[in-house]
């Protein structure tokens, strides 16, 4: 009976340590996420930036052939 109590006590200790470590890890991930959420990644560029991509109107057959040729 004492061996069962000892095993149960050890199991409870491990579960408590696991739960605490999981909570700490979760809170750390939330802090990192909040820090990165505050950054504005998609601000318009400043200075003398110009738009590089201007789509051309092409027939869908030409676009399909380019897709198959280049694999993009």
């Amino acid at each position: 009976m004492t061996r069962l109590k000892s095993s149960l006590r050890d199991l409870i200790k491990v579960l408590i340590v696991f739960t605490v470590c999981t909570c700490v890890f979760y809170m750390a991930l939330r802090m990192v996420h909040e820090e990165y959420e505050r950054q504005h990644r998609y601000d318009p560029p400043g200075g003398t930036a110009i738009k590089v991509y201007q789509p051309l109107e092409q027939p869908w057959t030409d676009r399909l052939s380019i897709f198959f040729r280049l694999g993009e």
Side-chain angles (χ1 to χ4, degrees), residues 3-61:
R3 183 175 172 138
L4 179 64
K5 283 184 181 181
S6 175
S7 295
L8 188 60
R9 188 177 304 132
D10 289 342
L11 177 66
I12 290 173
K13 286 179 187 178
V14 168
L15 287 176
I16 290 172
V17 169
F18 176 76
T19 304
V20 168
C21 289
T22 302
C23 290
V24 168
F25 182 69
Y26 175 74
M27 295 305 275
L29 284 178
R30 284 186 54 98
M31 286 174 28
V32 169
H33 176 72
E34 287 175 10
E35 184 67 31
Y36 280 108
E37 279 293 312
R38 288 188 219 146
Q39 292 181 357
H40 299 286
R41 295 177 288 180
Y42 303 113
D43 287 342
T48 59
I50 60 171
K51 188 172 185 173
V52 177
Y53 177 72
Q54 295 180 356
L56 302 173
E57 291 296 324
Q58 296 177 335
W60 68 272
T61 54

Side-chain angles (χ1 to χ4, degrees), residues 54-72:
Q54 295 180 356
L56 302 173
E57 291 296 324
Q58 296 177 335
W60 68 272
T61 54
D62 290 345
R63 293 183 63 179
L64 187 62
S65 71
I66 291 171
F67 174 78
F68 284 128
R69 253 187 301 139
L70 299 178
E72 295 180 355

